[in-house]
């Protein structure tokens, strides 16, 4: 039983256990949820830590523990050749739907291990911050666990169908959570908008995946290859160099996947659902969604769409489009964030802007940009969770997040104020936090191919983000305290402070030691992304 | 002639008649037990058919020992057997639902159960039909029994009105069907479906055959509620009593598709080209019509009616695959495989939803009836959520796999000719649009009707669900979840059921 | 000094203040005394370490051991990025370490006295330590990206310190303005770094110097542009001409902060950067730099003449002296710039501390026209202020004389008009400094608070005396050869030019003092507005740059954000989303009307459907 | 006079079918619509018999038997329904029964 199966199974099983419990034991329910999110966190920390030394291929907790102590990468004889070639660790493969060729296949490499760690950490923090839910806690915690288990499964699954299925687990819980426990008067509209946008994106991705699988079966009619397994897809792409991707509806596979994943991640023209959803969602849902579930689209883009790049579209038209849209979401959402009157609205648009950075990193089509993109993904996950958690705490105290009506909170609530100050500074790319390391790597990666776009990206990264973040700090934290206000309660007890301390600690740790992620990232072999291959395909301007 | 071949249909008719006879002897109180008896008999038949299939074809009286699965216009193969099990399951669920629903039916319960069994007989005969006569007889048996069933609540104007509408439009459709059969018979000279495979001697024969085929498709189109002929669905679904609507939505639609599958299997290549374009147009229009109309719908039964139309559109997508390649082909088999899986999921989801509806007191089934259901009865709320989410096609439930397989087979067919791209776009768009009204139901359950989560649900009283219905609902919910996550058993079973088409 | 100590000592010097800051933050409710002790201890430790390093390694430099901070792309390929974290300690940075830690220690001690009755002393000292850590990071940075990282951290810590009294709206706005304008400068700096990296493939300072030594034409046509972009960073941080508006507003912070940040260290970082990357600049880049420096010096001097706030006068005087240093670098004399930077650090810190003790004595009164007659009441502060003024003016024995005249000598040999500007600035500096001395310390006290002013406690005037001694004695540095390391293509001006420069400098000082004596001796109100009319008013209004920038911002940034917000709300969310969903809902309700309930119409629709089917497919 | 061939029968059956269809469309009364339906069915029967005679095998006539029995069943059930409707609404007019709509 690979630790990865444990990571997504524990929350789902606990959700079933909670279903059986009577609704009035709220304390017990909350503690069980904390346990059900803490175990996967510890397991993913172990997996992340021992990633280098763990043997490629099949691995369990025992082998992980042995690998951690021995520090020398042992060879694992039971590993499948594909897993060794692409350096996937802790893999586990069992039959699931053999007649459709779909199997349960989990495995982790640098990219997914980092995202998994961030996902489980944010899930644990969200479980801690779910304390501000007072009505119908049992249903809320069940839905939260469903979300947490689903997204962890999505990050570890190597079978595209399984990855899609796990991600979709989060769709209905989001709708119900925003509808029942949401904030603000247009939460109905927000609930519908989020669900329809996400399902539209997901259905496009599904169509793309079906097309891809059908293309695989067409090129390998004899073998029982199903076309849904990621590793077989990589092998097939590297062997046939994607010759068949030209005729019939197949040229539409790349745009469908790109667009579908783009919608899931609030790419520029399809981003209006994100700020609205995060503003009206309860704290824990906003943390999970803005922090983790949004990253699935990007993860999918890197895992599935990027390897298609040199074959499916020689003119890079779609990648230039992605670059343009990424730049648009970076600048546009940044400028719109400046005009937001509500704190969570501003945070929502700033998270859309940060996604712009990841799109730029991916569209730069080189390993440096990609490493930067991953760093920004992880950093933004932690940052979004932290800022929405703190915004939730503020909303619980002041009943409103209208920035004009808040003020001087740094004096009223020293701990939460300082944490929010650090979060907002991290948001505008202050070094020492992980966001800066990611953004600077993306800029370095992007400069080689698109110097002009990089200048605009720098302007957005340094100036626009500084303007709206500092404006928020000025209105919410600094300035005189508003006349009419009751005593605000700061986060004093330890279990109130734990989520914020954890997230801040992770942000600072990755900010000071970004090597922890980039080191593992480089080791993860992208089939077509070797720099030689890319540069040959994508000549630098000079 | 192997009498045992028809043993299932004979058993159904005999039990129907038996119920009617017993009705004379049973006192007023005992009428409900007849329902349980009928359900018990049908479950016996189902178990026998599943576990002892050789009874049907084993000891044939006259033949020389080897099993004969063929009769005149009747064929009992794995494909037919699968559909018979589906219909038996549907009938059992409807009978048990009707027993709980007896309060509103009040009089003549025995006739209700008998008619359900007769309709069941018609459906199981339709599953095995291989010539036009059996097709016509089984279709008419289903339709006529549904004429009576839809107008069963004599006291209420709605039921009568639904009955009359279904009667007139159904009769018109069957007249069109008969005329179509006549023309096809005229062109091919034989009533067998297989005759459609041979080439026509002359041009006007071929022209006659095309017209006849179109009329037959139109007649069957009425049954499965495809686009031009779905006008009756909302009114009849709303007017008819809930168990009948459920049976109508599942049973007669599945029978129609079983017949269409067998029919299309035997077509000549150039006829397949014709039916491919016809069915593609029908499918696209049906999905669009069903999804768009349901957006503004407040009445639950009408909402399920429109949703049923949309799912008929998706099933037609599966049928396309059958017609894409000439003769038996893997993609054709994949299409039917997807349709049969989707039908199973659709059956359980609709039955669960309507069982929940039966237990909801509320004269007009407006969405507000569901308000606060999560507090009044968590079981009903959870099962209804599961069935709605399965119908919407979201993982990890059975409905998702059904839609996934259908989309997969449609993509297989459509990728060679990019002109059909619009159909894929409509299908994908339909799924997204359908989420709006399916989630409207979820909203009504969890926070609809202005019941804010804070308000204690005590005001509207909790609903008590009788133990048998409770068991049934839990069973349906679990099946939806279990088969959704571990569908391998059902997929293998379907694998050999589709051997006919491969 | 043993090898291992040479490796750990720089880390100790760098991390001591950070450790203090983190300890204060984590401790939460820490008493003011212990937080001050921690912070002062940290900076003193760094000072001792720097002295040790300077003594051991002057001339030899410290071996570099960079640690890999971030590594993206496979290491060997050309496009990969390797960012490391290492120290480049040569004479320039060692001397700068001494100046920064020395001045910082004195100011930390002074702040303990100055901020005694403030409510948030732990937060203040944490900010101060964080600032010192970032400043040391800049000085010791081994590559451009590391330098950029600490460049931003210095900006953020100055934001925290300026906004120390964040309840006051003016302080909070000033902090925000300072950080944003700093980041405008940093934008240019970052783009410069990216350009240099993409061409040379490395950001390490040492590696860059070698590559350029081997092939001077390596940067090719974009060499000037890259140089000027990196100069933008200096313009932002050292508040040069276009981006100078934030420094005067930064006076909202506590006075020790102004002293440390806006006199001695942070603003000097820009000049230090120019010296550090001097080898990058092409001749015409240097030409632009010299004129920007000269322009800033002249502009700031003019504005300072008409400011009534004591700290604002000193702020503009800092601007002007910084302009001087940038001009020196522009003229190809980085060592002259560093010399002036050092002397300026001492006497400007001294002036700010003296101003601080005056302000504290008059209970936070900063308007010089409400002071007066403090000569007798605060003798020590008066004498310190006077020494600082004379050093700034350039009286021969004091430090300022030597450093300023070396710059004037270079100006004389290279760029005659700039020499004239320099002399004029020297004259104006003497004028506005003596104006302040006469108005604040001379004549009768114009306000009751000034009447009762008492001398500041010892903890405040002891650091002032030390600084006074330093600024007086810093002239001796002229004797030491190449104290700041050797710079390429730097030639010493001929004897005649430096003599001639000394003569003009002293003349300017005397003339300025005389003019100030004539205008401001015993003056009750500022006479200049009457005599110079419009010119005085524009100088008082700081040449309307603030209003210009506000207008510029409103018509660029704000306009863009209004347009995108409008388009977002109406086009994308409105027309796009609501339009699409509205269309679907409308189509739904339209199609539903088909169900009219009438049996006949149903039959009609079915028949029409059948006919359509037959027509289409037959 | 040319002898009566297959096309003639087909024309008559098509005519019967179309008149039945028009009857269903134009009449408002349920009974008249019902008569139209029977007419359509008999049109189809005529075609079946004609083709059976033309093809020489009896399948067509076999089918006619089934159609007639089904039509009979339909009539029985239909009329009973219309009578029940009349007792309820005192009118057999199609335009009255429109309570189920939209």
């Amino acid at each position: 039983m690979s630790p990865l199966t444990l990571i997504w199974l524990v929350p789902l099983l606990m959700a079933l256990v909670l279903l059986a419990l009577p609704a009035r034991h709220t304390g017990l329910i909350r503690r069980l949820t904390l346990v059900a999110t803490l175990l996967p966190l510890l397991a993913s920390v172990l997996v992340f830590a021992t990633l280098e030394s763990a043997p490629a291929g099949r691995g369990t907790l025992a082998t992980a523990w042995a690998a951690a102590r021995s520090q020398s990468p042992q060879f694992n004889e039971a590993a499948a050749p594909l897993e060794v070639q692409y350096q996937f660790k802790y893999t586990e493969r069992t039959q699931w739907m053999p007649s459709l060729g779909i199997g349960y296949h989990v495995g982790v490499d640098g990219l997914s291990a980092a995202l998994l760690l961030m996902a489980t950490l944010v899930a644990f923090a969200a479980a801690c911050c779910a304390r501000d839910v007072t009505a119908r806690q049992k249903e809320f915690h069940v839905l939260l666990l469903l979300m947490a288990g689903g997204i962890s499964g999505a990050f570890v699954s190597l079978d595209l169908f399984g990855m899609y299925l796990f991600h979709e687990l989060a769709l209905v819980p989001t709708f119900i959570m925003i509808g029942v426990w949401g904030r603000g008067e247009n939460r109905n509209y927000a609930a519908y908008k989020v669900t329809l946008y996400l399902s539209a994106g997901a259905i496009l991705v599904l169509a793309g995946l079906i097309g891809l699988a059908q293309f695989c079966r067409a090129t390998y009619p004899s073998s029982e290859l199903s076309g849904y397994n990621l590793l077989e897809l990589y092998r097939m792409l590297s062997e046939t160099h994607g010759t068949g991707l030209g005729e019939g509806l197949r040229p539409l596979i790349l745009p469908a996947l790109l667009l579908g994943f783009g919608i899931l991640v609030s790419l520029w023209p399809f981003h209006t659902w994100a700020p609205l959803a995060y503003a009206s969602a309860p704290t824990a849902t906003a943390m999970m969604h803005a922090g983790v579930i949004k990253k699935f689209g990007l993860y999918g883009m890197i895992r599935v769409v990027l390897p298609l790049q040199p074959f499916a579209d020689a003119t890079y038209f779609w990648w230039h489009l992605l670059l343009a849209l990424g730049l648009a979401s970076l600048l546009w959402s940044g400028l719109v964030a400046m005009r937001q009157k509500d704190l969570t609205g501003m945070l929502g648009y700033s998270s859309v802007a940060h996604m712009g950075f990841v799109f730029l990193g991916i569209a730069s089509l080189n390993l440096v940009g990609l490493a930067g993109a991953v760093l920004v993904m992880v950093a933004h996950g932690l940052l979004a969770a932290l800022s929405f958690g703190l915004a939730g705490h503020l909303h619980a105290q002041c009943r409103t997040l209208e920035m004009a009506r808040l003020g001087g909170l740094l004096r009223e609530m020293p701990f939460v104020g300082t944490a929010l100050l650090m979060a907002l500074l991290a948001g505008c790319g202050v070094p020492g936090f992980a966001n800066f390391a990611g953004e600077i790597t993306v800029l370095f990666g992007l400069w080689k191919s698109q110097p002009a776009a990089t200048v605009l990206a720098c302007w957005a990264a340094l100036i626009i983000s500084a303007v709206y973040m500092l404006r928020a700090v000025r209105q919410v934290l600094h300035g005189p305290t508003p006349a009419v206000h009751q005593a605000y309660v700061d986060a004093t007890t330890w279990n109130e402070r734990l989520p914020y301390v954890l997230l801040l600690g992770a942000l600072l740790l990755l900010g000071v030691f970004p090597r922890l992620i980039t080191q593992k990232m480089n080791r993860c072999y992208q089939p077509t992304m070797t720099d030689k291959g890319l540069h040959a395909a994508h000549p630098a301007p000079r | 002639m192997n009498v045992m071949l028809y043993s299932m249909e004979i058993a159904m008719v005999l039990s129907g008649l038996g119920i009617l006879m017993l009705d004379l002897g049973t006192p007023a109180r005992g009428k409900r037990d007849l329902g349980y008896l009928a359900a018990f008999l049908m479950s016996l038949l189902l178990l026998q058919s599943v576990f002892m299939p050789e009874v049907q074809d084993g000891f044939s009286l006259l033949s020389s020992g080897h099993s004969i699965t063929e009769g005149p216009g009747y064929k009992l193969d794995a494909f037919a057997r699968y559909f018979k099990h589906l219909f038996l399951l549907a009938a059992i669920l409807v009978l048990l639902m009707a027993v709980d629903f007896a309060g509103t039916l009040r009089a003549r319960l025995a006739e209700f159960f008998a008619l359900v069994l007769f309709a069941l007989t018609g459906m199981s005969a339709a599953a095995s039909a291989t010539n036009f006569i059996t097709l016509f007889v089984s279709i008419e048996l289903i339709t006529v029994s549904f004429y009576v069933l839809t107008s069963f609540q004599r006291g209420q104007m709605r039921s009568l009105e639904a009955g009359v509408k279904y009667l007139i439009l159904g009769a018109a459709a069957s007249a069109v069907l008969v005329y179509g059969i006549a023309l096809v018979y005229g062109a091919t000279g034989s009533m067998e479906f297989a005759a459609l495979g041979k080439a026509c001697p002359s041009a006007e024969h071929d022209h006659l055959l095309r017209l006849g085929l179109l009329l037959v498709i139109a007649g069957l189109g009425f049954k499965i509620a495809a686009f031009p002929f779905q006008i009756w669905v909302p009114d009849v679904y709303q007017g008819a009593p809930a168990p009948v609507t459920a049976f109508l939505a599942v049973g007669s639609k599945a029978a129609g598709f079983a017949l269409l599958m067998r029919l299309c299997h035997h077509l000549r290549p150039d006829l397949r080209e014709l039916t491919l374009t016809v069915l593609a147009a029908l499918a696209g229009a049906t999905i669009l019509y069903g999804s768009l109309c349901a957006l503004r719908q407040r009445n639950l039964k009408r909402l399920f009616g429109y949703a049923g139309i949309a799912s008929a559109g998706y099933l037609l997508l599966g049928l396309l695959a059958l017609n894409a390649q000439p003769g038996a082909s893997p993609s054709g088999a994949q299409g039917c495989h997807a349709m049969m899986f989707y039908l199973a999921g659709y059956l359980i989801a609709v039955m669960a939803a309507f069982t929940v509806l039966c237990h909801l007191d509320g004269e007009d089934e407006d969405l507000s009836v569901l308000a606060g259901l999560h507090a009044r009865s968590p079981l009903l709320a959870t099962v209804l959520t599961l069935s709605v989410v399965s119908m919407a096609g979201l993982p990890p439930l059975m409905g998702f796999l059904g839609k996934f397989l259908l989309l997969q087979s449609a993509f297989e067919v459509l990728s060679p000719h990019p002109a059909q791209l619009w159909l894929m776009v409509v299908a994908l768009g339909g799924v997204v649009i359908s989420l709006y009204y399916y989630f409207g139901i979820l909203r009504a359950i969890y926070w609809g009707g202005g019941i804010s989560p804070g308000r204690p649900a005590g005001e509207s009283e909790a609903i008590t669900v009788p133990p048998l219905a409770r068991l049934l609902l839990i069973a349906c919910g679990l099946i939806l979840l279990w088969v959704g996550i571990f569908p391998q058993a059902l997929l293998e079973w379907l694998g050999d059921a589709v051997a006919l088409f491969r | 000094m043993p090898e291992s100590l040479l490796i750990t000592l720089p880390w100790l010097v760098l991390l001591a203040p950070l450790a203090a800051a983190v300890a204060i933050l984590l401790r939460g409710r820490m008493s003011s005394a212990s937080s001050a002790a921690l912070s002062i201890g940290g900076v003193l430790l760094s000072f001792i370490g720097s002295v040790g390093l300077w003594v051991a390694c002057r001339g030899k430099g410290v071996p570099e051991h960079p640690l890999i901070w971030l590594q993206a792309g496979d290491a060997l390929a050309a496009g990969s990025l390797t960012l490391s974290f290492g120290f480049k300690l040569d004479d320039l940075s060692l001397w700068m370490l001494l100046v920064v830690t020395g001045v910082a220690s004195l100011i930390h001690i002074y702040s303990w006295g100055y901020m005694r009755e403030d409510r948030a002393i732990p937060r203040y000292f944490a900010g101060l330590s964080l600032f010192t850590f970032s400043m040391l990071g800049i000085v010791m940075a081994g590559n451009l990206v590391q330098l950029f990282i600490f460049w931003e951290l210095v900006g953020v810590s100055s934001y925290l310190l300026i906004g120390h009294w964040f309840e006051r709206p003016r302080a909070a706005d000033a902090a925000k303005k300072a950080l944003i304008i700093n980041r405008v400068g940093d934008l240019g700096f970052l783009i410069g770094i990216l350009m240099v990296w993409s061409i040379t493939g490395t950001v390490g300072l040492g590696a860059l110097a070698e590559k350029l030594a081997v092939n001077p034409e390596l940067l090719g046509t974009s060499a000037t542009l890259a140089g000027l972009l990196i100069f933008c960073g200096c313009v932002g941080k050292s508040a040069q001409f276009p981006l100078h508006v934030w420094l005067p507003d930064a006076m909202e912070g506590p006075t020790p902060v102004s002293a440390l940040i806006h006199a001695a260290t942070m603003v000097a970082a820009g000049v230090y950067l120019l010296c550090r990357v001097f080898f990058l600049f092409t001749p015409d880049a240097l030409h632009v730099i010299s004129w920007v420096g000269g322009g800033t010096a002249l502009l700031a001097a003019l504005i300072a003449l008409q400011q009534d706030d004591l700290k604002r006068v000193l702020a503009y005087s800092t601007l002007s002296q910084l302009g001087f240093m940038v001009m020196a670098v522009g003229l190809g004399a980085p060592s002259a710039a560093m010399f002036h930077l050092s002397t300026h650090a001492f006497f400007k810190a001294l002036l700010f501390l003296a101003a601080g003790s005056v302000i504290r004595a008059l209970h936070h009164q900063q308007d010089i026209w409400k002071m007066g007659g403090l000569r007798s009441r605060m003798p020590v502060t008066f004498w310190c202020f006077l020494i600082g003024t004379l050093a700034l003016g350039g009286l021969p024995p004091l430090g300022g004389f030597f450093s300023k005249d070396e710059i004037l000598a270079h100006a004389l040999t290279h760029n005659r008009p700039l020499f004239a500007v320099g002399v004029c600035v020297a004259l104006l500096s003497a004028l506005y400094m003596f104006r302040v001395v006469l108005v604040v310390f001379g004549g009768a006290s114009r306000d009751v608070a000034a009447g009762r002013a008492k001398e500041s406690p010892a903890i405040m005037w002891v650091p002032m005396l030390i600084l006074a001694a330093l600024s007086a004695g810093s002239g001796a540095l002229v004797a030491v050869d190449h104290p700041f390391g050797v710079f390429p293509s730097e030639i010493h001006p001929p004897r005649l030019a430096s003599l001639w420069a000394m003569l003009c400098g002293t003349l300017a000082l005397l003339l300025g003092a005389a003019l100030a004596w004539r205008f401001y001796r015993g003056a009750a109100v500022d006479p200049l507005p009457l005599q110079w009319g419009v010119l005085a008013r524009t100088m008082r209004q700081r040449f309307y740059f603030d209003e210009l920038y506000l207008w510029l911002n409103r018509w660029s940034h704000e306009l863009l954000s209004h347009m995108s917000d409008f388009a977002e709300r109406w086009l994308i969310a409105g027309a796009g989303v609501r339009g699409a969903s509205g269309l679907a809902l409308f189509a739904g309700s339209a199609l539903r009307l088909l169900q009219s309930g009438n049996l006949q119409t149903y039959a009609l629709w079915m028949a029409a459907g059948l006919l359509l089917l037959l027509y289409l497919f037959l | 006079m040319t002898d009566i061939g297959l096309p003639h029968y087909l024309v008559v059956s098509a005519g019967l079918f179309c008149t039945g269809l028009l009857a269903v469309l134009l009449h408002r009364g349920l009974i008249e619509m019902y008569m139209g339906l029977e007419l359509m069915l008999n049109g189809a029967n005529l075609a079946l018999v004609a083709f059976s005679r033309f093809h020489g095998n009896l399948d067509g006539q076999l089918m006619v038997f089934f159609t007639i029995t089904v039509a009979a069943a339909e009539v029985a059930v239909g009329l009973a329904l219309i009578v029940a409707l009349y007792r309820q609404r005192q009118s057999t007019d199609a335009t009255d029964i429109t309570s189920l709509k939209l």
Side-chain angles (χ1 to χ4, degrees), chain A residues 7-82:
Chain A
I7 286 174
W8 65 265
L9 199 60
V10 161
L12 296 187
L13 290 183
M14 188 56 84
L16 289 180
V17 165
L18 287 190
L19 271 179
L21 284 175
R24 61 183 184 287
H25 299 293
T26 52
L28 179 64
I29 286 174
R30 204 174 302 134
R31 267 191 297 282
L32 281 178
T33 317
L34 285 179
V35 165
T37 41
L38 187 61
L39 282 178
L41 175 58
L42 299 178
S44 57
V45 164
L46 184 65
V47 161
F48 186 77
T50 61
L51 195 63
E52 262 91 8
S53 49
R58 179 173 303 280
T60 60
L61 271 178
T63 52
W65 193 248
R69 278 201 305 283
S70 70
Q71 288 312 333
S72 67
Q74 309 114 342
F75 181 72
N76 173 344
E77 68 299 333
L82 278 178

Side-chain angles (χ1 to χ4, degrees), chain C residues 110 350 353-354 357 380-381 384 460-469:
Chain C
Y110 174 90
L350 170 63
L353 294 192
S357 82
V380 178
T381 310
C384 291
M460 288 171 72
W461 55 258
V462 164
M464 280 156 65
L465 281 183
I466 298 170
L467 277 173

Side-chain angles (χ1 to χ4, degrees), chain B residues 165 231 234-235 289 292 306, chain C residues 588 591-592 595 597 602 610 617:
Chain B
K165 285 186 179 168
I231 208 78
D235 294 5
Y289 183 88
L292 285 179
Y306 285 122
Chain C
L591 278 174
R592 216 154 59 86
Q595 306 289 127
Y602 286 176
L610 182 64
F617 296 106

Side-chain angles (χ1 to χ4, degrees), chain B residues 27-255:
Chain B
R29 283 180 292 91
K31 293 284 193 269
R32 288 169 180 271
D33 307 338
L34 289 177
Y36 290 129
L37 175 65
F40 173 70
L41 284 175
M42 285 309 113
S43 24
L44 265 185
L45 192 59
L46 179 61
L47 293 176
Q48 177 271 325
S49 161
V50 167
F51 295 109
M52 292 186 287
E54 65 288 354
V55 162
Q56 265 69 13
D57 45 33
F59 16 81
S60 58
L61 297 178
L62 307 171
S63 69
S64 60
H66 71 277
S67 69
I68 301 174
T69 59
E70 278 281 333
Y74 185 92
K75 185 175 188 207
L76 183 62
D77 51 9
F79 173 79
R81 201 179 284 283
Y82 173 79
F83 270 100
K84 289 180 196 292
H85 298 156
L86 267 191
F87 296 137
L88 277 169
L89 187 65
I92 293 164
L93 292 173
V94 164
L95 286 169
L96 293 176
M97 200 196 305
V99 166
D100 298 336
F101 197 70
T104 49
L105 288 176
R106 276 192 302 287
R108 294 179 309 289
L109 273 182
E111 281 81 358
F112 188 91
F113 302 136
L115 278 168
V116 166
L117 292 182
F118 295 146
L120 173 64
T121 328
M123 292 176 195
S124 78
S128 318
T130 54
N131 74 2
F132 280 107
I133 298 173
T134 327
L135 176 139
F136 175 69
V137 165
S138 54
I139 285 282
E140 284 316 310
L141 183 53
I142 301 170
T143 330
V144 172
S145 6
F146 270 112
Y147 290 157
V148 184
L149 282 170
T150 42
S151 53
F152 210 78
Q153 290 167 315
R154 287 214 174 282
Q156 284 180 349
M157 189 50 207
R158 291 176 344 138
S159 186
L160 282 176
E161 185 183 325
V164 163
K165 285 186 179 168
Y166 188 60
L167 169 76
I168 300 288
L169 298 176
S174 46
V176 164
L177 180 66
V178 170
Y179 196 70
I181 291 172
L183 293 182
V184 166
Y185 168 67
T188 59
S190 133
M191 280 296 185
E192 293 306 320
F193 289 163
L196 292 168
K198 294 192 295 303
C200 282
S202 69
E204 74 277 335
H205 275 275
D206 184 52
H207 205 62
L208 213 62
L209 180 61
R210 280 175 190 278
L211 179 61
L213 200 60
L214 277 180
L215 289 178
V216 165
I217 287 178
L220 289 178
F222 173 84
K223 271 281 149 295
I224 59 172
F227 169 67
F229 317 100
Q230 85 311 329
I231 208 78
W232 58 275
V233 163
D235 294 5
V236 171
Y237 277 36
Q238 182 186 6
V244 171
T245 313
F247 203 27
L248 193 61
V250 174
S252 87
K253 195 187 304 258

Side-chain angles (χ1 to χ4, degrees), chain B residues 361-445:
Chain B
D361 47 20
E363 182 38 44
D364 59 341
E365 302 87 354
D366 190 84
L367 273 179
S368 54
V369 152
L370 295 172
L373 187 62
H374 68 278
R376 288 156 64 191
S377 150
L379 173 71
L380 289 185
T382 327
V383 172
L384 188 57
T385 313
L386 281 178
S387 83
V388 159
V389 169
S390 169
M391 275 195 259
L394 292 179
L397 298 173
M398 210 168 157
F400 164 69
L401 263 171
K403 256 182 191 155
F404 169 70
L405 291 173
L406 278 174
L407 285 176
Q408 196 171 20
S409 69
F411 203 95
E412 198 91 17
V413 164
L414 296 181
S415 68
H417 9 167
Q420 305 289 14
L421 180 63
W422 65 269
L423 184 57
M424 271 311 277
V425 169
V426 162
L428 297 180
V431 171
V432 175
I433 295 175
S434 68
L435 277 182
Y436 181 83
Y437 50 82
Y438 282 129
F439 276 43
I441 299 176
L442 288 191
R443 169 178 163 214
I445 296 173

Side-chain angles (χ1 to χ4, degrees), chain C residues 528-564:
Chain C
L528 274 187
L530 307 175
Q531 277 144 11
W532 290 358
V534 171
L535 177 61
R537 248 198 329 288
T538 45
M539 282 151 66
R540 187 172 290 277
Q541 290 303 329
R542 304 190 288 275
F543 290 94
Y544 300 105
F545 271 106
D546 285 313
E547 294 72 14
L548 171 70
Y549 286 156
L550 268 182
W551 181 83
L552 206 64
N553 179 28
R554 201 154 41 77
W555 283 104
S556 64
H557 242 231
E558 301 301 321
L559 181 69
L560 270 175
S561 74
H562 275 293
M563 268 164 33
S564 44

